[in-house]
Amino acid sequence: MEIPLTLKKSADGRVSYGIPLWYRIATAAMLLLIAGGIFIAGGPPSLIAWIILALLLLGLAYEERWVVDPQARLVRYFSGFWPIARAMNIGFDEIDEFCLSAFARGTVPGSAEEEKDKEKAFAMMKGKDTNDMSKSAFQKWTGHKPYINLLLKTKSGETYLVNTLPARRGGRLNKAAQMLAASSESRYTEPNV
């Protein structure tokens, strides 16, 4: 399951890009529903019930969030399972840019096919229909699915993957990149394709 990260701006100017509240509420509701069913059944839970409970607890404890804090002049990243989630800070002065890049699984880096798939991904992101009606159903099924990455690049040459979405929903990453860049006083480089 793909959990779409959501963008929120608070009154103090912070911008948060992370797991949405609805995901936490839905996971907690499922956890309570399963635990309630086990309690009502009265007997010990089955192995499957224990596995489901463990997965729901892990889902509830998982954190992934990027926070742009203009007052502290930091971009903070939190990832992992609470309470041992990893935290990382990147100062505004260290950020070079936010940008989007395209890729398609199954392509050879540097090949003509990869370049064609990148162009297709950016076209799909911009809402252009790229369906080739001449392809057979098998060719469509085995084809490369294009994706868009939102990247944070630092002046020291490090690149951090902020999020990845299928190209058809890449417009969401474009908006997120613009807001994150504006909040962190850094530049956003538009895709040139």
Side-chain angles (χ1 to χ4, degrees):
M1 178 179 132
E2 181 182 299
I3 305 165
L5 303 181
T6 57
L7 198 57
K8 286 190 265 180
K9 188 169 187 172
S10 62
D12 65 355
R14 286 184 191 192
V15 174
S16 175
Y17 188 58
I19 295 177
L21 181 60
W22 67 260
Y23 169 79
R24 304 250 186 244
I25 292 170
T27 304
M30 287 186 284
L31 183 65
L32 290 173
L33 186 68
I34 299 292
I38 290 170
F39 179 74
I40 289 172
S46 67
L47 178 62
I48 301 279
W50 280 115
I51 292 170
I52 291 171
L53 283 173
L55 290 174
L56 287 171
L57 277 171
L58 286 173
L60 195 58
Y62 183 71
E63 179 64 62
E64 183 171 348
R65 183 167 314 280
W66 291 85
V67 178
V68 178
D69 186 350
Q71 293 164 344
R73 297 189 48 76
L74 288 173
V75 174
R76 295 184 169 111
Y77 174 62
F78 305 95
S79 174
F81 296 98
W82 187 86
I84 56 170
R86 180 184 85 157
M88 176 181 61
N89 294 326
I90 303 170
F92 283 9
D93 297 335
E94 298 173 47
I95 299 172
D96 183 33
E97 68 176 341
F98 284 89
C99 63
L100 300 179
S101 72
F103 79 100
R105 290 186 180 143
T107 57
V108 177
S111 68
E113 182 184 34
E114 181 194 34
E115 288 304 313
K116 181 180 173 189
D117 283 344
K118 283 182 178 183
E119 289 175 14
K120 178 181 174 184
F122 283 122
M124 290 172 73
M125 181 185 89
K126 293 177 181 175
K128 296 177 183 170
D129 188 15
T130 60
N131 288 335
D132 184 358
M133 300 306 277
S134 65
K135 287 185 176 181
S136 70
F138 180 74
Q139 287 172 318
K140 288 179 186 177
W141 180 72
T142 59
H144 306 130
K145 185 175 179 183
Y147 291 88
I148 302 290
N149 291 330
L150 170 53
L151 305 172
L152 182 158
K153 294 184 176 184
T154 65
K155 292 175 182 171
S156 64
E158 296 172 311
T159 301
Y160 297 98
L161 176 64
V162 177
N163 198 7
T164 299
L165 285 176
R168 291 205 185 277
R169 295 192 313 193
R172 293 179 63 186
L173 291 181
N174 194 23
K175 290 176 186 173
Q178 290 172 3
M179 184 176 270
L180 292 169
S183 299
S184 64
E185 302 169 7
S186 55
R187 67 187 165 108
Y188 166 60
T189 305
E190 287 273 350
N192 60 359
V193 177

